[in-house]
Amino acid sequence: MSDDLVIAGRAFRSRLIVGTGKYRSFQEMARAHAASGAEMVTVAVRRVNLTDRTKESLLDYIDRDKIFILPNTAACYTADEAIRTARLAREVGLSNWVKLEVIGDQQTLFPDTEQLIEATRVLVKDGFVVLPYTNDDLIAARKLIDAGAAAVMPLAAPIGSGMGIQNPANLRILRERITEVPMIVDAGVGTASDAAIAMELGSDGVLMNTAIAEAQDTVLMAEAMRDAVIAGRKSHLAGRMAKRLYATASSPLSGVVR
């Protein structure tokens, strides 16, 4: 049976979304993308030359017949900046989808939820499919959904930190209380076990960049992340056994030959 990730009516077979930054070369990026099996990649609009097509660009190394581009408003610190950046991406033909970031603090890169909600509201009215990067905060998530967000993307830890899932309780609460749209863990994943845990907690997908791009072997890490997301999803759907304080024999004593 199909177990696609469906966002705004569009189905993706892979529940892993990857980024395009920090790779040692565009060629390495393309190899990692292929190994990851991802069908959607984020592109930071403000870090790509969108006007001079004569210069080499990371966009030249993304097979748009196989991979859906999700423009990202990284490095935007106000709702107005993020709105302009999203509109620019649409005008040059990237997409009317946007991974919406409105940063509130330069050191932690935590989101400014007030500005994020405002930008979401404006962009949804402007015809965008908005996927906002947000705190692991139920109230902020609910307000983003009310503003029209097509998914919510709570952080697991600060962007690029690689610290893994820092607050599983909040992610569990978000999973239980948010059923209208997908919940995709975004930021903080460092290794494959982090991705598996995010999926076991019930996340619909995982978005990552640095964990793959800064690995010593990016292609091998991309494969590991692909497999971890699949394993974590299967584990969540299967339903884990109950935890017990004391041992229970794997082989029951009843019927034992004496």
Side-chain angles (χ1 to χ4, degrees), residues 166-179:
Q166 293 299 294
N167 198 337
N170 274 12
L171 294 181
R172 287 180 58 193
I173 290 169
L174 284 169
R175 175 68 293 166
E176 290 183 9
R177 298 291 302 278
I178 293 174
T179 57

Side-chain angles (χ1 to χ4, degrees), residues 6-19:
V6 180
I7 305 173
R10 181 169 185 142
F12 300 90
R13 292 185 301 276
S14 173
R15 291 176 177 269
L16 174 61
I17 305 169
V18 296

Side-chain angles (χ1 to χ4, degrees), residues 44 62 107 169:
I62 299 174
Q107 186 171 5

